[in-house]
Amino acid sequence: MTDTDTDAGTDSDTGADSLPVDSSPVIGRELQLITLEVNGEEYEVITEPRRTLVDILRHELRLTGTHVGCEHGVCGACTVLLDGRPVRACLMFAAQAEGAAIRTVESLSDGADGSELSDLQRAFRSHHGLQCGFCTPGFLMLAEGFLAERPQATKAEIREVVAANLCRCTGYQSIVEAIDSCAAARREGEEK
Amino acid sequence: MRDGPMPGVPGAGVPAAPGRGGRLVGRSVPRREDPRLLTGRGRFVDDIALPGMLHAQFVRSTVANGVIEAIDLTAVHEVPGVVAAFTAGDLALSDIVAQLERPEPEFVETAMPVLARDRVRYVGEPVAIVIARDAYAAEDGLEAARVSYTVRQPVTSAAAALAADAPLVHEEAAHNTLVDVSLCATDGIDEVFAAADRVVRVDTRTGRQNALPLETRGAVAHWDDREEQLVVQTCTQVPHQVRTVAARCLRLAERAVRVVVPDMGGGFGQKSVVGREEIATAAAALRLRRPVKWIEDRKDALSASFLAREQHYDVRAAFDADGRILGIDADVVCDMGAYSCYPFTAGIEPLMASAELPGVYKVPAYRVRGRAVATNKAPTAPYRGVSRPQYVMVVERLFERAARELGLDPVEIRRRNVITDFPYTGVNGITYDPGSYLESLDLCARTLRDEGWYERRTAAAEEGRHLGIGYACFSERTGYGSAAFAQRRMAVVPGFDISEVRMDTSGAVTVTTGTMSHGQSHETTMAQIVADELGLDIGAVRLHQGDTDRITYGWGTFASRSITVGGSAVRLAAGKLGEKLRRIAADRWGIPWEETALGRGRVHRRGDPAVTIGYPELADLAYLRAHLLPKDIEPGLSATATFDVFNDGTFSNATHGVVVELDEGTGRVEILRYVCVEDCGVAINPQVVEGQCRGGIAQGIAGALFEQVTYDAQGEPSATSFLDYKVPTAHEIPEVTIHHLETPCAFSATGAKGAGEGGTIGAPAAVLNAVNDALRATGVELDRTPLTPETVHRALRGLPEPAA
Ligand code: FES
Ligand code: FES
């Protein structure tokens, strides 16, 4: 590195005179109008047909809780619920989700400001089921969908389901334990 | 061993560690970070959207070794949505150069240009940056770029790089050797080997791995006209170092660059170096005066970011007839890929291995040569454990082999050799502070024995099944201060940390740290320390990290330094603020300040706890009615402290015990039991420590059994998606039982030692030893990782490891 510290950095050659002023869709591309139902609200979006569901959720609707870890369907960071079933939002086009009820991590908590954690979220917290938290929304939605379908799930079954997604921080054990304890508490609640 | 400070250790004057006596320190307090991360309200770099923001992607080299003949971006500019495209020539940035202060040929300085200029040195090297109105258009733009190369023969292995007639990756580095250092050579070591009862040899190779944070790298940069600052929001473990490099490459004053770190989805070392892409993104934003975002895709993250761990060890060890080690003679070659990383340099792996290889054992004689070799592969960065997973594996293999040859029990041979008298100054010149090496080994072995695994191993063998038990006993140096890093002779010497604690008029506190959490829970653990020191609730303490404008200076988070060094600075700063509060209160009472003490949110008179003044009232005085303060007390409530370690650092330690079963039909290694006995001194938050431990073990198992990036003869990387790069899931990673021992650090302000890397360090050795134990009947021993099912399957049929 050369050590020429000047206090300016105001290189006048910006080359930016004729730049567009916003990031709205690029002229000349094929566009479509789609309607999505996300967390109980309807949204209309004008977009290119090639855009994935996760991109629309994150960058158009600004629901950035759903994450992207691979864009090729392996890591599960993008997991959302489509009519109650966990899906990889990076593997489908947004248009394919029309007509379905989409749920994202933003829908899990309660309260006027959405800060009341659900039992599943509380279980993740008390079991240290997250470190960096990047994979967490995907695991939460995976578990939310799975437990709704199979409330009787054993710990071994939960481990099998958790194996659908990747986490690089936790070693998975605390995620399995969090989901298992949430399932057990729900079952106990039912019995009472 | 558990109490009393180490004689002669600096850091005197630091108050006694609160240990587990703290109200919050030592407890598994729920994390401050969790609510936002659980509700989708975290803010990661790709969550940032600025008005008018553009999107960048990189045209990358398609050849591993070549001369750039022409870069034609004409068609790129025609692509709808593309706004600009720049080459190295357009941006004219200074290179990134990492230096060691060692003479040639110990170290050869090489430069990493931000964008490749005339040469490309690995597949995926950035050649041009394309900026467009959306991310899809940026991708379209890449496809329109035309770059022509004169292709040269690539160097794709360390052995090929060292060959006499090898092509040179950097013209200035003869024999492709960037670092060649012999840190130790005990006099008379050849005689020691000649006279020894037994000499064993281990020839080990470890695969090239990706640290693989689940969040890829990325940056959002914009020019702030009002602050006259280039603001770079990027997921980095080392914000101040990114600021330094950005300022130098762009020829700005450092104050004209602000680096801000949002929530981070892991790093594990890959984000502890300065990447070229974040600098190029910043340069584009400066040039265009528009916000520019770059988010690395997984393909680039796997093949073109920073990799690690591809090492070759050829090591001999001499033993006497009783299994006492007499000497180690090691040759270490690390394949560092094409460039030296900033700030650590290509010396990071060989110097770590060379300095610390003797580990937890009393090794009287030691000779080592460590080399960093350049190849036409993606460059390396530190990755969790840095060389320690490798050399621990080597040393633990040496002991297992010696035990076998001498007819000793593998645990017993370790018992005879581990360091038990502390402080112990090793043959490597490093002084080890107290640890529980023998205790952890005994507890781990006893646990497996009590659970009946030895009987099960015998029973399995009788049924023709292959059950094996393996151990790794090791320590991990943490809390490297300036003194320890200075021994590496980097041109920039990391080590200290600064913390500022501020109390506002309501009595609530903000605290800064120069460390940078990316999953390690600093917002919780640092707050625990401050809250205990000042008698506050944890909710009254808020941590600031990762903002070069808010934090005076910092070295970030790596080498398990955050709690030992950063946590100490935080505690000292809080202590200073506490003193100021006491002085103000003492003045009101007209007594010497020494006759006061801190209680829960208040100062009280010593010996008369009923006489108190609450913090809000003291804050009111300090800020809103400062005319009432005595002359020698400045208005306001803030305090700054620094902490550094002036000795060799503090050693955490652990023993891992693993039971595996090998599948005769497939060669699959199944882990039946995993026990970890760890000692990181005072655990500020035991649940967080266990999380670090389990997560680290998962990454160690990944390296032992699954993950590897290989290259074909043209230098094309094998792993470009998660389909080729096998990251283990909950299916492969077992439950881990953790037992804690506690040997407090005598000189960190909290008694804590580092806990970030131990899991990763121990796992490969323990797994490999267990597999070899399971193979005992075949006579085959395996020494290379990852252990593929094919290799294990062959070994089960008595066939040795294929030649390298
Ligand atoms: S981002 Fe969708 S599976 Fe990885
Ligand atoms: S918590 Fe970091 S990837 Fe799972």
Side-chain angles (χ1 to χ4, degrees):
Chain A
M1 256 166 293
T2 49
D3 281 1
T4 32
D5 286 358
T6 65
D7 196 14
T10 45
D11 183 350
S12 60
D13 173 25
T14 65
D17 300 346
S18 57
L19 295 180
V21 291
D22 65 23
S23 298
S24 54
V26 175
I27 309 293
R29 298 258 189 83
E30 185 194 341
L31 294 175
Q32 64 181 171
L33 174 69
I34 59 172
T35 309
L36 296 176
E37 189 207 312
V38 186
N39 302 336
E41 283 185 52
E42 295 248 314
Y43 297 88
E44 288 188 326
V45 186
I46 296 171
T47 183
E48 290 180 60
R50 63 174 172 169
R51 295 194 75 185
T52 59
L53 176 59
V54 73
D55 271 353
I56 296 298
L57 290 172
R58 288 179 48 76
H59 301 305
E60 295 296 327
L61 308 187
R62 298 293 303 146
L63 293 167
T64 53
T66 306
H67 295 154
V68 174
C70 72
E71 282 183 299
H72 53 257
V74 177
C75 75
C78 63
T79 304
V80 299
L81 298 185
L82 212 65
D83 290 331
R85 303 241 317 273
V87 297
R88 310 279 210 226
C90 73
L91 284 187
M92 54 193 302
F93 297 116
Q96 292 172 297
E98 273 193 306
I102 302 164
R103 277 188 71 197
T104 68
V105 66
E106 284 89 350
S107 73
L108 288 180
S109 49
D110 246 322
D113 60 355
S115 66
E116 259 171 51
L117 301 185
S118 74
D119 57 348
L120 181 64
Q121 290 168 313
R122 287 197 307 273
F124 266 67
R125 190 177 193 204
S126 61
H127 287 84
H128 195 24
L130 63 158
Q131 290 181 25
C132 77
F134 195 78
C135 69
T136 310
F139 277 106
L140 286 169
M141 298 319 284
L142 182 70
E144 180 79 2
F146 174 65
L147 290 186
E149 190 185 309
R150 199 165 156 68
Q152 297 304 323
T154 64
K155 198 169 175 186
E157 287 171 340
I158 289 168
R159 193 169 257 279
E160 276 307 303
V161 168
V162 165
N165 285 12
L166 295 181
C167 171
R168 193 58 163 176
C169 299
T170 62
Y172 304 106
Q173 185 172 335
S174 59
I175 296 177
V176 173
E177 284 166 356
I179 299 170
D180 185 49
S181 87
C182 175
R186 283 183 187 178
R187 285 194 295 262
E188 233 166 71
E190 291 279 291
E191 276 165 27
K192 276 178 197 155
Chain B
M1 190 192 75
R2 294 304 164 80
D3 33 48
M6 270 165 53
V9 166
V14 170
R20 284 192 293 202
R23 213 163 28 87
L24 296 165
V25 167
R27 294 187 209 295
S28 296
V29 173
R31 299 203 316 161
R32 299 282 312 269
E33 293 86 344
D34 286 345
R36 71 172 186 276
L37 296 174
L38 284 164
T39 51
R41 295 174 183 182
R43 188 173 68 244
F44 295 87
V45 64
D46 191 31
D47 300 343
I48 296 167
L50 299 178
M53 186 172 74
L54 301 171
H55 298 261
Q57 276 304 335
F58 291 86
V59 177
R60 293 178 183 275
S61 173
T62 53
V63 305
N65 186 11
V67 175
I68 299 175
E69 297 303 338
I71 305 174
D72 181 1
L73 301 179
T74 326
V76 176
H77 293 280
E78 309 297 310
V79 171
V82 168
V83 172
F86 302 116
T87 62
D90 299 325
L91 294 178
L93 303 171
S94 303
D95 294 344
I96 302 171
V97 182
Q99 294 162 314
L100 288 181
E101 289 177 340
R102 289 178 183 276
E104 286 195 30
E106 283 194 351
F107 173 70
V108 179
E109 182 179 307
T110 52
M112 179 163 77
V114 175
L115 295 172
R117 261 196 308 274
D118 354 275
R119 282 284 299 277
V120 287
R121 296 184 172 88
Y122 61 95
V123 171
E125 179 160 6
V127 170
I129 181 171
V130 173
I131 297 118
R133 280 168 57 187
D134 67 42
Y136 288 67
E139 296 275 350
D140 294 343
L142 300 188
E143 285 172 24
R146 295 287 165 265
V147 186
S148 50
Y149 305 94
T150 302
V151 180
R152 290 188 182 171
Q153 181 59 35
V155 177
T156 60
S157 73
L162 292 169
D165 53 349
L168 293 180
V169 178
H170 294 271
E171 306 305 333
E172 57 272 40
H175 313 295
N176 290 310
T177 301
L178 302 176
V179 174
D180 187 351
V181 177
S182 292
L183 281 188
C184 277
T186 309
D187 282 342
I189 189 166
D190 288 319
E191 291 71 41
V192 170
F193 273 82
D197 290 295
R198 188 68 63 156
V199 173
V200 295
R201 185 175 164 201
V202 166
D203 190 303
T204 291
R205 287 166 200 280
T206 54
R208 201 170 193 79
Q209 250 190 294
N210 192 312
L212 209 114
L214 199 59
E215 177 205 41
T216 56
R217 298 179 303 144
V220 176
H222 74 277
W223 176 259
D224 184 327
D225 277 306
R226 194 155 163 272
E227 297 291 341
E228 296 179 340
Q229 254 187 338
L230 180 64
V231 182
V232 185
Q233 300 184 76
T234 183
C235 43
T236 178
Q237 298 169 230
V238 290
H240 282 89
Q241 289 63 47
V242 171
R243 180 180 73 173
T244 296
V245 172
R248 290 188 186 176
C249 287
L250 292 158
R251 301 181 189 90
L252 299 172
E254 285 217 20
R255 72 120 217 100
V257 180
R258 178 180 183 190
V259 175
V260 180
V261 184
D263 281 320
M264 261 173 88
F268 315 117
Q270 190 174 80
K271 297 173 181 169
S272 72
V273 299
V274 182
R276 313 157 79 162
E277 291 89 345
E278 56 252 31
I279 305 299
T281 301
L286 182 63
R287 172 70 72 98
L288 298 171
R289 296 297 161 99
R290 297 270 304 268
V292 178
K293 175 192 267 190
W294 162 69
I295 301 297
E296 182 179 51
D297 69 15
R298 183 53 64 184
K299 174 175 178 288
D300 292 343
L302 280 169
S303 57
S305 62
F306 291 91
L307 304 175
R309 299 236 202 282
E310 190 170 9
Q311 304 187 347
H312 177 208
Y313 289 77
D314 188 354
V315 183
R316 294 181 311 139
F319 287 86
D320 71 14
D322 296 330
R324 293 212 165 68
I325 193 159
L326 304 172
I328 293 181
D329 190 8
D331 185 26
V332 184
V333 176
C334 305
D335 180 341
M336 303 308 288
Y339 292 101
S340 205
C341 63
Y342 185 94
F344 303 101
T345 80
I348 180 79
E349 288 192 355
L351 292 177
M352 174 70 90
S354 300
E356 307 191 6
L357 190 139
V360 292
Y361 299 108
K362 291 175 279 190
V363 180
Y366 176 48
R367 179 167 61 197
V368 63
R369 178 184 188 189
R371 279 176 284 177
V373 170
T375 57
N376 291 114
K377 303 178 187 177
T380 46
Y383 171 25
R384 199 175 196 172
V386 185
S387 289
R388 289 169 287 189
Q390 288 70 43
Y391 77 66
V392 166
M393 193 169 101
V394 170
V395 173
E396 295 297 284
R397 290 293 305 134
L398 289 169
F399 277 97
E400 293 267 332
R401 189 155 290 165
R404 229 181 244 208
E405 294 195 10
L406 295 166
L408 289 169
D409 175 79
V411 174
E412 179 53 30
I413 195 172
R414 290 179 171 91
R415 297 188 86 252
R416 288 182 191 176
N417 287 285
V418 290
I419 301 164
T420 48
D421 294 320
F422 298 97
Y424 174 88
T425 300
V427 67
N428 49 2
I430 295 173
T431 298
Y432 296 73
D433 67 335
S436 53
Y437 302 170
L438 185 62
E439 295 85 343
S440 73
L441 176 63
D442 283 344
L443 178 54
C444 192
R446 194 167 67 236
T447 304
L448 291 185
R449 207 169 284 283
D450 291 351
E451 290 176 2
W453 287 104
Y454 284 88
E455 288 82 13
R456 276 187 246 185
R457 182 178 66 172
T458 311
E462 280 160 11
E463 294 165 24
R465 284 161 48 222
H466 310 277
L467 219 79
I469 298 172
Y471 295 95
C473 182
F474 62 97
S475 65
E476 170 200 2
R477 172 143 64 143
T478 69
Y480 291 80
S482 312
F485 272 117
Q487 287 167 9
R488 298 281 157 86
R489 297 206 229 149
M490 287 157 60
V492 291
V493 182
F496 67 90
D497 202 57
I498 305 178
S499 173
E500 186 198 0
V501 178
R502 247 188 248 173
M503 185 174 277
D504 65 20
T505 56
S506 70
V509 157
T510 52
V511 54
T512 69
T513 178
T515 64
M516 185 63 239
S517 181
H518 44 288
Q520 296 89 339
S521 324
H522 295 175
E523 287 169 50
T524 308
T525 52
M526 300 280 187
Q528 285 177 259
I529 294 169
V530 172
D532 263 7
E533 188 68 28
L534 291 174
L536 292 167
D537 290 335
I538 193 165
V541 182
R542 174 78 209 146
L543 182 74
H544 288 315
Q545 56 186 339
D547 182 338
T548 57
D549 269 17
R550 269 185 179 174
I551 287 127
T552 312
Y553 197 78
W555 286 101
T557 285
F558 54 84
S560 301
R561 66 184 298 276
S562 298
I563 279 297
T564 46
V565 181
S568 293
V570 156
R571 178 158 187 238
L572 296 182
K576 275 195 186 172
L577 183 67
E579 186 186 317
K580 182 160 187 184
L581 289 163
R582 288 166 64 192
R583 283 182 186 278
I584 296 172
D587 178 69
R588 302 305 289 165
W589 292 324
I591 58 173
W593 74 275
E594 290 85 354
E595 287 174 24
T596 65
L598 299 180
R600 287 294 303 273
R602 55 176 41 103
V603 178
H604 61 80
R605 275 185 88 140
R606 233 184 246 288
D608 192 357
V611 180
T612 67
I613 306 183
Y615 291 165
E617 197 180 324
L618 292 169
D620 191 78
L621 279 167
Y623 288 107
L624 306 182
R625 290 182 297 143
H627 63 286
L628 298 178
L629 293 176
K631 274 197 205 56
D632 59 344
I633 292 186
E634 291 177 3
L637 285 173
S638 73
T640 301
T642 61
F643 185 81
D644 200 349
V645 178
F646 299 104
N647 59 19
D648 285 337
T650 182
F651 287 78
S652 302
N653 68 275
T655 300
H656 292 198
V658 180
V659 184
V660 301
E661 179 163 5
L662 311 181
D663 184 303
E664 175 112 36
T666 61
R668 189 178 118 91
V669 178
E670 191 186 351
I671 298 174
L672 304 179
R673 184 77 179 112
Y674 204 115
V675 177
C676 164
V677 180
E678 71 82 39
D679 185 343
C680 65
V682 173
I684 306 295
N685 185 320
Q687 198 178 40
V688 166
V689 168
E690 294 201 356
Q692 288 296 312
C693 205
R694 290 206 172 87
I697 287 170
Q699 293 188 9
I701 293 172
L705 297 176
F706 302 103
E707 297 177 2
Q708 185 174 23
V709 183
T710 57
Y711 289 78
D712 71 12
Q714 272 62 57
E716 190 70 45
S718 63
T720 55
S721 81
F722 281 148
L723 303 176
D724 329 291
Y725 193 82
K726 304 268 188 233
V727 181
T729 67
H731 200 75
E732 289 81 27
I733 300 301
E735 287 207 356
V736 175
T737 300
I738 300 171
H739 297 293
H740 298 283
L741 299 174
E742 186 180 298
T743 313
C745 173
F747 53 85
S748 70
T750 58
K753 301 174 174 179
E757 300 168 278
T760 316
I761 294 169
V767 170
L768 185 61
N769 282 336
V771 169
N772 279 310
D773 187 48
L775 287 170
R776 188 173 285 257
T778 67
V780 178
E781 288 183 61
L782 304 177
D783 287 320
R784 296 190 204 132
T785 57
L787 285 163
T788 64
E790 298 76 46
T791 311
V792 174
H793 190 240
R794 282 168 51 90
L796 283 165
R797 288 175 289 143
L799 298 171
E801 225 158 24

